[in-house]
Amino acid sequence: MPKGYWVSVYRTVSDPEKLAAYDKLAGPAVRAGGGRLLTRGSRVAAHDAGIAERTILIEFDSFEQAVAARESAAYQEALATLADGVERDFRIVEGID
């Protein structure tokens, strides 16, 4: 079964306090949903229209599990704390089996 991935690139961070509050809640929510953090804020080499900013990659055992984790009450609570503190590009993608 193909894995699922959260890919999140932060275009701007306008409120670091909101981001810190989000991180505090999002980590446990992601782990509870079966997610494994693969990279967070590591070195980035951006090309073409890419953005060399904070990039997060989280792996799940399946695409469906990744979608369910995003919809969970715990993650929705984390998102509420983030609110307008950042501008980011967030995607859930299916891996190749």
Side-chain angles (χ1 to χ4, degrees):
M1 174 185 310
K3 294 185 179 188
Y5 296 90
W6 286 9
V7 182
S8 185
V9 177
Y10 288 70
R11 297 178 187 277
T12 61
V13 177
S14 58
D15 191 331
E17 290 180 12
K18 286 183 179 180
L19 179 58
Y22 163 82
D23 283 344
K24 191 173 186 178
L25 295 174
V30 167
R31 287 188 297 278
R36 294 172 297 284
L37 184 65
L38 298 181
T39 185
R40 181 182 73 197
S42 302
R43 296 182 343 166
V44 174
H47 300 278
D48 302 323
I51 300 169
E53 296 294 338
R54 177 184 168 126
T55 302
I56 313 297
L57 179 62
I58 299 172
E59 179 182 63
F60 293 84
D61 288 337
S62 70
F63 180 80
E64 291 76 18
Q65 186 180 37
V67 170
R70 171 72 166 69
E71 295 172 354
S72 73
Y75 189 72
Q76 292 303 307
E77 180 183 355
L79 279 179
T81 66
L82 185 60
D84 62 350
V86 303
E87 179 187 357
R88 68 181 185 161
D89 180 353
F90 180 94
R91 299 163 190 251
I92 300 174
V93 298
E94 185 175 52
I96 299 171
D97 195 19

